[in-house]
Amino acid sequence: QVQLVESGGGLVQPGGSLRLSCAASGSIFSIDNMGWYRQAPGKQRDLVASITRGGSTYYADSVKGRFTISRDNAKNTVSLQMNSLKPEDMAVYYCNALITTVELRRHYWGQGTQVTVSS
């Protein structure tokens, strides 16, 4: 089995920072794209940032210049550094990874971690 476990969510004041981390474990052969999505109450789940195995990144316009995604291929981890947080960043954040195992290649999701931005 493959698992993605997130950590690092919490409560932060507007303008503050948080760092989310996600670790993939299990019978992993390789990991391609990794990314972070978020879903606010009553809204769809949207891509926030992604990173290829080679380190190429993508950011949603709403987070450009404030969030930084990074990964450690040796440790099968991906992180999201979030600075200058705004109330509109408040959501459940989900880690996603395209993982190849011996049996198949598919996307896996973490369980989600809550980010609350409030004074």
Side-chain angles (χ1 to χ4, degrees), residues 54-72:
S56 297
T57 57
Y58 162 86
Y59 295 96
D61 287 343
S62 59
V63 306
K64 281 181 181 176
R66 300 188 298 122
F67 290 12
T68 302
I69 190 170
S70 59
R71 66 187 283 175
D72 185 328

PDB file of all heavy atoms in Angstrom, residues 54-72:
ATOM      1  N   GLY A  54      11.825  16.644 -11.744  1.00  0.00           N
ATOM      2  CA  GLY A  54      13.002  17.433 -12.101  1.00  0.00           C
ATOM      3  C   GLY A  54      13.048  18.803 -11.456  1.00  0.00           C
ATOM      4  O   GLY A  54      14.043  19.518 -11.612  1.00  0.00           O
ATOM      5  N   GLY A  55      11.958  19.171 -10.766  1.00  0.00           N
ATOM      6  CA  GLY A  55      11.963  20.441 -10.042  1.00  0.00           C
ATOM      7  C   GLY A  55      11.238  21.580 -10.711  1.00  0.00           C
ATOM      8  O   GLY A  55      11.230  22.699 -10.179  1.00  0.00           O
ATOM      9  N   SER A  56      10.598  21.344 -11.837  1.00  0.00           N
ATOM     10  CA  SER A  56       9.808  22.401 -12.468  1.00  0.00           C
ATOM     11  C   SER A  56       8.538  22.613 -11.668  1.00  0.00           C
ATOM     12  O   SER A  56       7.888  21.653 -11.252  1.00  0.00           O
ATOM     13  CB  SER A  56       9.464  22.032 -13.905  1.00  0.00           C
ATOM     14  OG  SER A  56      10.633  21.917 -14.682  1.00  0.00           O
ATOM     15  N   THR A  57       8.200  23.883 -11.478  1.00  0.00           N
ATOM     16  CA  THR A  57       7.079  24.196 -10.601  1.00  0.00           C
ATOM     17  C   THR A  57       5.963  24.923 -11.327  1.00  0.00           C
ATOM     18  O   THR A  57       6.163  25.577 -12.352  1.00  0.00           O
ATOM     19  CB  THR A  57       7.533  25.061  -9.413  1.00  0.00           C
ATOM     20  OG1 THR A  57       8.149  26.257  -9.919  1.00  0.00           O
ATOM     21  CG2 THR A  57       8.524  24.314  -8.546  1.00  0.00           C
ATOM     22  N   TYR A  58       4.787  24.805 -10.738  1.00  0.00           N
ATOM     23  CA  TYR A  58       3.596  25.533 -11.183  1.00  0.00           C
ATOM     24  C   TYR A  58       2.925  26.105  -9.938  1.00  0.00           C
ATOM     25  O   TYR A  58       2.866  25.457  -8.902  1.00  0.00           O
ATOM     26  CB  TYR A  58       2.621  24.616 -11.912  1.00  0.00           C
ATOM     27  CG  TYR A  58       1.230  25.210 -12.006  1.00  0.00           C
ATOM     28  CD1 TYR A  58       0.893  26.068 -13.041  1.00  0.00           C
ATOM     29  CD2 TYR A  58       0.276  24.945 -11.030  1.00  0.00           C
ATOM     30  CE1 TYR A  58      -0.367  26.642 -13.109  1.00  0.00           C
ATOM     31  CE2 TYR A  58      -0.986  25.507 -11.092  1.00  0.00           C
ATOM     32  CZ  TYR A  58      -1.305  26.352 -12.131  1.00  0.00           C
ATOM     33  OH  TYR A  58      -2.539  26.918 -12.190  1.00  0.00           O
ATOM     34  N   TYR A  59       2.427  27.343 -10.067  1.00  0.00           N
ATOM     35  CA  TYR A  59       1.681  27.967  -8.978  1.00  0.00           C
ATOM     36  C   TYR A  59       0.390  28.570  -9.521  1.00  0.00           C
ATOM     37  O   TYR A  59       0.383  29.175 -10.596  1.00  0.00           O
ATOM     38  CB  TYR A  59       2.499  29.078  -8.319  1.00  0.00           C
ATOM     39  CG  TYR A  59       3.751  28.598  -7.629  1.00  0.00           C
ATOM     40  CD1 TYR A  59       4.987  28.640  -8.280  1.00  0.00           C
ATOM     41  CD2 TYR A  59       3.698  28.092  -6.332  1.00  0.00           C
ATOM     42  CE1 TYR A  59       6.131  28.198  -7.648  1.00  0.00           C
ATOM     43  CE2 TYR A  59       4.844  27.650  -5.695  1.00  0.00           C
ATOM     44  CZ  TYR A  59       6.052  27.695  -6.368  1.00  0.00           C
ATOM     45  OH  TYR A  59       7.194  27.259  -5.742  1.00  0.00           O
ATOM     46  N   ALA A  60      -0.662  28.439  -8.751  1.00  0.00           N
ATOM     47  CA  ALA A  60      -1.880  29.166  -9.067  1.00  0.00           C
ATOM     48  C   ALA A  60      -1.601  30.656  -8.922  1.00  0.00           C
ATOM     49  O   ALA A  60      -0.788  31.079  -8.094  1.00  0.00           O
ATOM     50  CB  ALA A  60      -2.994  28.745  -8.116  1.00  0.00           C
ATOM     51  N   ASP A  61      -2.270  31.445  -9.730  1.00  0.00           N
ATOM     52  CA  ASP A  61      -2.030  32.892  -9.703  1.00  0.00           C
ATOM     53  C   ASP A  61      -2.242  33.473  -8.306  1.00  0.00           C
ATOM     54  O   ASP A  61      -1.548  34.405  -7.904  1.00  0.00           O
ATOM     55  CB  ASP A  61      -2.961  33.590 -10.690  1.00  0.00           C
ATOM     56  CG  ASP A  61      -2.558  33.366 -12.133  1.00  0.00           C
ATOM     57  OD1 ASP A  61      -1.407  32.958 -12.380  1.00  0.00           O
ATOM     58  OD2 ASP A  61      -3.404  33.588 -13.026  1.00  0.00           O
ATOM     59  N   SER A  62      -3.187  32.923  -7.581  1.00  0.00           N
ATOM     60  CA  SER A  62      -3.537  33.478  -6.276  1.00  0.00           C
ATOM     61  C   SER A  62      -2.435  33.312  -5.229  1.00  0.00           C
ATOM     62  O   SER A  62      -2.464  33.988  -4.196  1.00  0.00           O
ATOM     63  CB  SER A  62      -4.824  32.838  -5.762  1.00  0.00           C
ATOM     64  OG  SER A  62      -4.677  31.437  -5.655  1.00  0.00           O
ATOM     65  N   VAL A  63      -1.469  32.426  -5.476  1.00  0.00           N
ATOM     66  CA  VAL A  63      -0.431  32.185  -4.474  1.00  0.00           C
ATOM     67  C   VAL A  63       0.966  32.538  -4.977  1.00  0.00           C
ATOM     68  O   VAL A  63       1.945  32.432  -4.216  1.00  0.00           O
ATOM     69  CB  VAL A  63      -0.455  30.722  -3.977  1.00  0.00           C
ATOM     70  CG1 VAL A  63      -1.845  30.355  -3.489  1.00  0.00           C
ATOM     71  CG2 VAL A  63       0.030  29.763  -5.052  1.00  0.00           C
ATOM     72  N   LYS A  64       1.085  32.933  -6.229  1.00  0.00           N
ATOM     73  CA  LYS A  64       2.404  33.259  -6.774  1.00  0.00           C
ATOM     74  C   LYS A  64       3.083  34.347  -5.949  1.00  0.00           C
ATOM     75  O   LYS A  64       2.463  35.349  -5.594  1.00  0.00           O
ATOM     76  CB  LYS A  64       2.274  33.721  -8.220  1.00  0.00           C
ATOM     77  CG  LYS A  64       2.101  32.601  -9.226  1.00  0.00           C
ATOM     78  CD  LYS A  64       1.994  33.144 -10.644  1.00  0.00           C
ATOM     79  CE  LYS A  64       1.790  32.013 -11.643  1.00  0.00           C
ATOM     80  NZ  LYS A  64       1.589  32.518 -13.018  1.00  0.00           N
ATOM     81  N   GLY A  65       4.339  34.116  -5.653  1.00  0.00           N
ATOM     82  CA  GLY A  65       5.101  35.083  -4.877  1.00  0.00           C
ATOM     83  C   GLY A  65       4.951  34.928  -3.376  1.00  0.00           C
ATOM     84  O   GLY A  65       5.689  35.559  -2.610  1.00  0.00           O
ATOM     85  N   ARG A  66       4.015  34.120  -2.943  1.00  0.00           N
ATOM     86  CA  ARG A  66       3.791  33.916  -1.506  1.00  0.00           C
ATOM     87  C   ARG A  66       4.074  32.483  -1.080  1.00  0.00           C
ATOM     88  O   ARG A  66       4.533  32.251   0.047  1.00  0.00           O
ATOM     89  CB  ARG A  66       2.349  34.256  -1.142  1.00  0.00           C
ATOM     90  CG  ARG A  66       1.969  35.700  -1.450  1.00  0.00           C
ATOM     91  CD  ARG A  66       0.588  36.043  -0.894  1.00  0.00           C
ATOM     92  NE  ARG A  66      -0.482  35.238  -1.487  1.00  0.00           N
ATOM     93  CZ  ARG A  66      -1.299  34.464  -0.801  1.00  0.00           C
ATOM     94  NH1 ARG A  66      -1.187  34.354   0.513  1.00  0.00           N
ATOM     95  NH2 ARG A  66      -2.252  33.770  -1.424  1.00  0.00           N
ATOM     96  N   PHE A  67       3.784  31.526  -1.944  1.00  0.00           N
ATOM     97  CA  PHE A  67       3.966  30.114  -1.619  1.00  0.00           C
ATOM     98  C   PHE A  67       5.157  29.563  -2.418  1.00  0.00           C
ATOM     99  O   PHE A  67       5.403  29.978  -3.551  1.00  0.00           O
ATOM    100  CB  PHE A  67       2.729  29.306  -1.993  1.00  0.00           C
ATOM    101  CG  PHE A  67       1.517  29.559  -1.131  1.00  0.00           C
ATOM    102  CD1 PHE A  67       1.462  30.626  -0.240  1.00  0.00           C
ATOM    103  CD2 PHE A  67       0.422  28.729  -1.226  1.00  0.00           C
ATOM    104  CE1 PHE A  67       0.344  30.857   0.541  1.00  0.00           C
ATOM    105  CE2 PHE A  67      -0.700  28.933  -0.453  1.00  0.00           C
ATOM    106  CZ  PHE A  67      -0.748  30.009   0.426  1.00  0.00           C
ATOM    107  N   THR A  68       5.847  28.613  -1.798  1.00  0.00           N
ATOM    108  CA  THR A  68       6.949  27.936  -2.468  1.00  0.00           C
ATOM    109  C   THR A  68       6.830  26.434  -2.242  1.00  0.00           C
ATOM    110  O   THR A  68       6.746  25.986  -1.098  1.00  0.00           O
ATOM    111  CB  THR A  68       8.303  28.420  -1.933  1.00  0.00           C
ATOM    112  OG1 THR A  68       8.416  29.837  -2.117  1.00  0.00           O
ATOM    113  CG2 THR A  68       9.443  27.730  -2.682  1.00  0.00           C
ATOM    114  N   ILE A  69       6.820  25.695  -3.349  1.00  0.00           N
ATOM    115  CA  ILE A  69       6.760  24.238  -3.258  1.00  0.00           C
ATOM    116  C   ILE A  69       8.160  23.669  -3.478  1.00  0.00           C
ATOM    117  O   ILE A  69       8.934  24.188  -4.287  1.00  0.00           O
ATOM    118  CB  ILE A  69       5.758  23.660  -4.276  1.00  0.00           C
ATOM    119  CG1 ILE A  69       5.517  22.174  -4.027  1.00  0.00           C
ATOM    120  CG2 ILE A  69       6.204  23.917  -5.713  1.00  0.00           C
ATOM    121  CD1 ILE A  69       4.355  21.594  -4.843  1.00  0.00           C
ATOM    122  N   SER A  70       8.466  22.613  -2.747  1.00  0.00           N
ATOM    123  CA  SER A  70       9.760  21.955  -2.902  1.00  0.00           C
ATOM    124  C   SER A  70       9.572  20.468  -2.627  1.00  0.00           C
ATOM    125  O   SER A  70       8.574  20.060  -2.032  1.00  0.00           O
ATOM    126  CB  SER A  70      10.789  22.553  -1.940  1.00  0.00           C
ATOM    127  OG  SER A  70      10.367  22.409  -0.598  1.00  0.00           O
ATOM    128  N   ARG A  71      10.553  19.681  -3.054  1.00  0.00           N
ATOM    129  CA  ARG A  71      10.465  18.240  -2.822  1.00  0.00           C
ATOM    130  C   ARG A  71      11.853  17.665  -2.588  1.00  0.00           C
ATOM    131  O   ARG A  71      12.854  18.232  -3.019  1.00  0.00           O
ATOM    132  CB  ARG A  71       9.772  17.532  -3.977  1.00  0.00           C
ATOM    133  CG  ARG A  71      10.513  17.549  -5.283  1.00  0.00           C
ATOM    134  CD  ARG A  71       9.668  16.966  -6.415  1.00  0.00           C
ATOM    135  NE  ARG A  71       9.624  15.508  -6.368  1.00  0.00           N
ATOM    136  CZ  ARG A  71       8.868  14.768  -7.183  1.00  0.00           C
ATOM    137  NH1 ARG A  71       8.086  15.362  -8.078  1.00  0.00           N
ATOM    138  NH2 ARG A  71       8.890  13.448  -7.100  1.00  0.00           N
ATOM    139  N   ASP A  72      11.855  16.534  -1.922  1.00  0.00           N
ATOM    140  CA  ASP A  72      13.086  15.781  -1.691  1.00  0.00           C
ATOM    141  C   ASP A  72      12.850  14.399  -2.282  1.00  0.00           C
ATOM    142  O   ASP A  72      12.131  13.591  -1.704  1.00  0.00           O
ATOM    143  CB  ASP A  72      13.390  15.705  -0.187  1.00  0.00           C
ATOM    144  CG  ASP A  72      14.715  15.037   0.092  1.00  0.00           C
ATOM    145  OD1 ASP A  72      15.114  14.135  -0.665  1.00  0.00           O
ATOM    146  OD2 ASP A  72      15.343  15.404   1.097  1.00  0.00           O
TER     147      ASP A  72
END
